[in-house]
Amino acid sequence: MEDKVAPASGTLEQLFEQVEAGEWKNMSLVQFMSRDDQDAEPLAAVIDRSGVVKIKKGHGESAPPKSPEELRQKIKLMGHCYLMTQLKYPNRVVLRDINPYTFNKYADYLMGEHVLGLKAKDAKGEVVAAAHLDLVLSYEAQVRKLMTKKMNDGISMAVAMEEAMQDTTVKERYFLTPAALTAAASREDLRLKSRSPKRARTPERDRGDDRNKKGKGKRGNRGKGGLAGKTLHTRTPDGREICFPWNNKDLSEV
């Protein structure tokens, strides 16, 4: 067995303690350490009931998976940890029906078309969104959390894992809904970026606008015969109608 998928002694001790205590604890993937991580395992001092201080390996953590291949390798390591625990405690019913295929199936499920391989397509069949590895890791933690709860209820590990994978509530809450919201936010960002940006106003443009306004004003005054601000008379004092040029001496002289 390669060191990268061989359980570290500290990780096995954690599982052995859980078996002896009769209570399974939900462990994150980073808590399953391999022999490659052995140097990173911390030491802890504990005092037993007789008052004797003992040095034992503490609970270390490894780096989280950064790719689908690293995730598959981590699940394989986790499987080896539980299989070795099964070998040490063969009479534990909760571990009796697990085998390497149990964890291979779990890895295939997480990286298959229904989880990591799930893609959203538009009407043209083009992919518009895909599941991110971080979201898959978050969902995976919730699946094993439910599995651990079922194991504490007396359900065997293989059955508990299968039921947790098929649980629609966990998948809807911790995978499908966050994936849909992320996809919707991404589409909104693309829509906003696709809009043409407004032309920024500059001092030169502002001065140009002022010149245009002034020019229009002058032309407007000339077109009206320079009558801006004046009162137009349409009748003579004795009530007779008069023509427009009478109001403007410049025009009447033309």
Side-chain angles (χ1 to χ4, degrees), residues 1 20 38 51 58 61-62 67 77 165 167 189 234:
M1 185 181 298
E20 294 174 358
Q38 195 84 28
E61 292 185 356
S62 60
S67 66
L77 169 63
M165 285 190 292
D167 190 279
D189 291 341
T234 60

Side-chain angles (χ1 to χ4, degrees), residues 109 139 142-143 146-147 150 160-176:
Y109 166 72
Y139 169 62
Q142 296 298 325
V143 171
L146 179 59
M147 178 195 73
K150 290 178 177 291
M161 180 178 289
E162 184 69 27
E163 292 181 354
M165 285 190 292
Q166 296 178 0
D167 190 279
T168 57
T169 300
V170 172
K171 189 171 185 179
E172 179 72 27
R173 180 176 301 175
Y174 298 103
F175 182 71
L176 295 179

Side-chain angles (χ1 to χ4, degrees), residues 8 17-18 22 29 42 60 63 66 70 139-140 143 156 182 193-194 199 201 204 232 234 239:
E17 290 175 357
Q18 293 177 29
L29 280 180
K66 299 296 184 182
E70 290 185 6
Y139 169 62
E140 188 277 333
V143 171
S156 65
T182 302
K193 290 180 181 179
S194 64
R199 294 175 59 190
R201 296 188 64 86
E204 290 76 8
L232 299 179
T234 60

Side-chain angles (χ1 to χ4, degrees), residues 1 5-9 11-12 33-35 38 77 80-81 84:
M1 185 181 298
V5 292
S9 57
T11 303
L12 291 176
M33 302 180 66
S34 67
R35 290 177 182 171
Q38 195 84 28
L77 169 63
H80 289 164
C81 291
M84 289 189 175

Side-chain angles (χ1 to χ4, degrees), residues 3 33 57 78 104 133 190 230 242-243 247-248:
D3 286 346
M33 302 180 66
K57 292 182 178 179
M78 179 183 67
N104 290 338
L133 182 61
L190 291 175
K230 295 183 179 182
I242 59 177
C243 64
N247 293 275
N248 191 324

Side-chain angles (χ1 to χ4, degrees), residues 15-54:
L15 292 177
F16 296 165
E17 290 175 357
Q18 293 177 29
V19 173
E20 294 174 358
E23 181 180 2
W24 296 98
K25 295 181 180 180
N26 186 41
M27 298 172 58
S28 63
L29 280 180
V30 296
Q31 289 181 293
F32 290 94
M33 302 180 66
S34 67
R35 290 177 182 171
D36 280 344
D37 305 317
Q38 195 84 28
D39 294 338
E41 284 189 307
L43 297 177
V46 295
I47 302 176
D48 60 14
R49 294 180 179 179
S50 61
V52 178
V53 177
K54 295 182 178 180

Side-chain angles (χ1 to χ4, degrees), residues 91-151:
N91 296 326
R92 299 292 176 171
V93 178
V94 72
L95 299 174
R96 186 173 297 175
D97 57 352
I98 60 173
N99 54 61
Y101 174 74
T102 304
F103 301 94
N104 290 338
K105 183 179 179 181
Y106 181 52
D108 291 339
Y109 166 72
L110 292 175
M111 282 165 283
E113 59 181 354
H114 298 295
V115 184
L116 185 60
L118 183 64
K119 295 179 174 59
K121 299 182 180 180
D122 58 13
K124 298 180 181 180
E126 298 180 355
V127 177
V128 295
H132 195 273
L133 182 61
D134 290 340
L135 179 58
V136 175
L137 293 176
S138 176
Y139 169 62
E140 188 277 333
Q142 296 298 325
V143 171
R144 285 192 301 103
K145 182 178 180 180
L146 179 59
M147 178 195 73
T148 304
K149 181 178 182 299
K150 290 178 177 291
M151 290 171 63

